[in-house]
C-alpha cells in the first residue's frame, strides 16, 4: 500500500535489555548503552561485534517498561556470545508478518507514537487484523546522521 508495507521476517536472534520505569527517551538512552557495551566486548567471549540496524524499542500500551534491542549480525546468529551483564539477554524472535510505516527526520517518542497511531488507523480502515496492544519503533541511523534519516514503526499482523 502507499502508506505502509507488509514484510515477512524470518526467525532471528536479537540482543535485548528491558529498562523499567523511565521515559521512553531515557529508556532508549540507557538501553542503547547497555547493548553497545555488549557489542564492544562485554560478553563471555570478550568479542567485539559489528553494530547493526535497526535498533528497536518495544512499546506496550500503558506500560513504562521498554525493551531495547540490537539485531545480532548474521555471522553470529547461530551462537551469539552470551552477555556478562545480567540485564542483557539474547532472545529469538519467531518469524512474523509485520505492518511497517516508514518516516524521516529525527524521531522522538512523540513522533513514533504519532506514526504508530496513523498506521493503526490505516490498518483498521482497511480491515487488516493486527496486535494493537504493542508496537516496535525501529531506528536505522546514527545520531550523527543529519539528512535522509530512516525510521519505522511496526505492528504484528494477526
Amino acid at each position: 500500500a502507499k502508506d505502509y508495507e507488509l514484510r515477512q521476517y524470518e526467525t532471528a536472534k536479537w540482543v535485548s535489555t528491558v529498562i523499567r520505569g523511565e521515559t521512553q527517551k531515557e529508556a532508549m538512552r540507557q538501553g542503547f548503552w547497555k547493548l553497545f557495551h555488549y557489542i564492544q566486548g562485554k560478553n563471555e567471549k570478550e568479542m567485539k561485534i559489528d553494530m547493526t540496524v535497526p535498533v528497536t524499542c518495544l512499546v506496550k500500551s500503558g506500560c513504562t517498561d521498554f525493551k531495547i534491542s540490537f539485531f545480532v549480525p548474521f555471522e553470529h546468529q547461530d551462537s551469539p556470545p552470551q552477555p556478562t551483564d545480567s540485564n542483557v539477554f539474547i532472545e529469538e524472535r519467531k518469524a512474523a508478518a509485520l505492518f511497517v510505516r516508514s518516516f524521516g527526520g529525527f524521531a522522538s517518542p512523540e513522533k513514533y507514537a504519532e506514526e504508530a497511531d496513523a498506521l493503526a488507523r490505516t490498518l483498521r480502515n482497511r480491515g487488516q487484523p493486527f496486535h494493537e496492544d504493542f508496537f516496535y519503533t525501529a531506528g536505522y541511523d546514527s545520531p550523527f546522521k543529519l539528512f535522509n534519516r530512516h525510521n519505522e514503526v511496526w505492528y504484528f499482523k494477526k
Side-chain angles (χ1 to χ4, degrees):
K2 100 179 142 45
D3 41 6
Y4 71 90
E5 57 187 294
L6 177 58
R7 289 187 198 150
Q8 180 64 41
Y9 279 95
E10 298 308 312
T11 298
K13 292 190 178 88
W14 294 70
V15 60
S16 302
T17 188
V18 175
I19 305 295
R20 292 183 169 81
E22 296 288 352
T23 63
Q24 185 179 344
K25 186 173 185 168
E26 179 59 19
M28 282 293 294
R29 191 189 69 73
Q30 287 182 25
F32 178 90
W33 285 110
K34 280 187 179 295
L35 299 173
F36 188 76
H37 292 309
Y38 166 81
I39 66 171
Q40 287 297 299
K42 194 172 181 186
N43 56 65
E44 65 183 17
K45 293 182 183 167
E46 296 183 353
M47 176 190 287
K48 280 194 178 215
I49 299 168
D50 289 338
M51 177 79 202
T52 59
V53 291
V55 175
T56 65
C57 178
L58 172 61
V59 180
K60 295 181 194 170
S61 303
C63 183
T64 59
D65 292 359
F66 298 97
K67 182 171 66 178
I68 292 78
S69 308
F70 288 1
F71 179 76
V72 172
F74 293 110
E75 63 268 25
H76 299 293
Q77 279 288 317
D78 289 340
S79 66
Q82 288 304 304
T84 52
D85 179 336
S86 62
N87 295 310
V88 175
F89 56 95
I90 304 293
E91 68 169 323
E92 184 169 272
R93 293 189 194 168
K94 299 292 177 218
L98 303 181
F99 292 108
V100 178
R101 180 178 170 95
S102 300
F103 60 99
F106 279 91
S108 63
E110 297 75 22
K111 180 67 173 159
Y112 277 124
E114 258 174 52
E115 296 291 337
D117 287 346
L119 176 56
R121 271 195 312 278
T122 300
L123 295 173
R124 280 187 216 104
N125 290 341
R126 300 214 173 129
Q128 292 282 8
F130 66 101
H131 293 276
E132 298 192 37
D133 51 335
F134 69 94
F135 65 90
Y136 277 91
T137 68
Y140 287 81
D141 301 303
S142 140
F144 306 109
K145 183 174 182 183
L146 301 180
F147 303 103
N148 301 315
R149 296 179 62 80
H150 184 81
N151 312 289
E152 296 173 348
V153 288
W154 301 347
Y155 276 111
F156 281 64
K157 183 178 164 92
K158 275 191 176 167

